[in-house]
Amino acid sequence: LRELLQCYVVARGFLEHARGKVNGVLDGAVERLITANPVQLSACSADGRRYQALREVVETVVMDMGLHTLLLSALSAAHQDEDARIGCAMLKLADALPEEVGADPAIACDLSSAIAILQELEAQATPLDKVDVLRRVARAIS
């Protein structure tokens, strides 16, 4: 992990390579944990569900150690044009009324709590944490 964080550069067009590298780091860390703690973690190698749960924990820790920052900056750079287009479209629609975009005015509702929750999304370091924020947004809307 230290080598990945200090030396690895994610170049445009090589995001798939980066994903493979990250998955290798995560899988290697999980296997080393299982090997170093056979009594406590032996069930993780035999049960796919437990292995996946352990991998998610390892992913959370690894992402929090700086990998999230490295990957987010690479992904942001790779998609900056698309992000700019979407940002412009969102600004144009920010104050639009439902009928202005062809929606039934009866569905208009206060989304302020959902928006407040959604603003937490970028601060999340792992996909699991991001999904949890989206789950909370959906609950706030419903």
Side-chain angles (χ1 to χ4, degrees), residues 22-110:
V22 169
N23 281 330
V25 167
L26 295 175
D27 291 337
V30 170
E31 291 303 323
R32 283 191 296 282
L33 274 171
I34 292 170
T35 302
N37 301 282
V39 175
Q40 298 87 346
L41 299 176
S42 62
C44 291
S45 60
D47 179 16
R49 216 172 12 103
R50 289 183 179 164
Y51 182 92
Q52 188 59 37
L54 180 60
R55 193 175 189 284
E56 287 173 5
V57 169
V58 169
E59 180 179 354
T60 299
V61 171
V62 168
M63 287 292 195
D64 200 40
M65 293 173 70
L67 189 56
H68 175 257
T69 304
L70 174 73
L71 295 176
L72 183 61
S73 63
L75 287 169
S76 295
H79 298 285
Q80 68 186 24
D81 294 341
E82 185 179 3
D83 286 347
R85 281 194 308 278
I86 292 171
C88 287
M90 290 173 64
L91 281 175
K92 289 177 185 174
L93 295 172
D95 296 320
L97 298 172
E99 58 269 11
E100 292 175 327
V101 293
D104 184 346
I107 66 165
C109 59
D110 178 23

Side-chain angles (χ1 to χ4, degrees), residues 83-135:
D83 286 347
R85 281 194 308 278
I86 292 171
C88 287
M90 290 173 64
L91 281 175
K92 289 177 185 174
L93 295 172
D95 296 320
L97 298 172
E99 58 269 11
E100 292 175 327
V101 293
D104 184 346
I107 66 165
C109 59
D110 178 23
L111 297 175
S112 58
S113 62
I115 291 169
I117 295 168
L118 190 58
Q119 290 173 338
E120 300 172 17
L121 188 65
E122 190 174 336
Q124 305 309 309
T126 69
L128 189 60
D129 292 337
K130 290 180 187 296
V131 167
D132 183 57
V133 169
L134 295 176
R135 180 187 53 78

